[in-house]
Amino acid sequence: MPDRPLPLLRLTPTTHRADVLVTTPLCAACPYSPAGCCAAPPRVALADIARIVLRGGRDFLLEEIAAGRLVPGKDNAWLNLPRRLHASGVAACVYLGEAGCRLSPERRSVTCNVYVCEEVLARAEGDAGQPARTLRDTLETDLARWDAELEQRTRVRWPAGHQLDADFLDWLGGAFAELLASDRD
């Protein structure tokens, strides 16, 4: 019996679309950069921070901020992923290891979990390309909406500003849980 080829794109189902993971072996042969998309890591937005907290990552975030591997952005509204020189000689995300991302999917931004470039999506059309593209587009819209709502709630709760500390992160995780629950209604 012949071996089945690996799918060009795989969607890992979860209980909520914010936790979906898209994987592809095509990224290992990225024609644009030896570090692939990790050469330009995304921001970890409020919705991402809240999702990580909700998935048990509050202490992880605090430790990574203290270690300088996550750097607070303007008004503590997001976290930046610094870049460092990768083994390939390219500056890339601090979490990119030899075998890919060193973080579990629960600790990554949603963008890191679902983004694949148009070239990969086009090559995977017969496989899972369209569902992945639809999911990515839906999540981009959801993330923008969730971020806006969380920013508004943050301004109401902390009109003088907030710190990325345990109290704020606990509150943010709870606020995000409310948003996810209202999405199911």
Side-chain angles (χ1 to χ4, degrees), residues 56-150:
R58 182 196 74 179
D59 293 340
F60 160 80
L61 289 170
L62 293 171
E63 290 166 9
E64 295 303 289
I65 292 167
R69 289 183 292 269
L70 292 172
V71 180
K74 184 181 178 207
D75 298 327
N76 294 318
W78 67 81
L79 294 169
N80 290 309
L81 291 160
R83 298 183 322 156
R84 61 157 175 80
L85 193 59
H86 182 255
S88 65
V90 174
C93 176
V94 296
Y95 296 111
L96 179 61
E98 294 308 310
C101 186
R102 291 181 294 135
L103 297 178
S104 66
E106 300 82 30
R107 301 294 183 257
R108 298 180 202 156
S109 73
V110 171
T111 301
C112 291
N113 283 338
V114 301
Y115 182 80
V116 289
C117 69
E118 285 300 320
E119 185 173 322
V120 168
L121 289 172
R123 287 182 66 186
E125 284 297 350
D127 193 15
Q130 192 54 45
R133 182 178 282 115
T134 300
L135 175 67
R136 183 194 66 196
D137 294 347
T138 298
L139 279 171
E140 285 176 2
T141 301
D142 287 345
L143 285 168
R145 180 174 48 83
W146 293 332
D147 275 340
E149 179 65 27
L150 290 170

Side-chain angles (χ1 to χ4, degrees), residues 14-39:
T14 59
T15 56
H16 193 277
R17 67 185 173 277
D19 294 312
V20 168
L21 178 62
V22 177
T23 55
T24 177
L26 296 174
C27 292
C30 179
Y32 304 108
S33 170
C37 295
C38 299

Side-chain angles (χ1 to χ4, degrees), residues 1-5:
M1 184 167 147
D3 290 342
R4 290 182 51 197

Side-chain angles (χ1 to χ4, degrees), residues 3 52 79 154 167:
D3 290 342
I52 292 168
L79 294 169
T154 299
D167 289 339

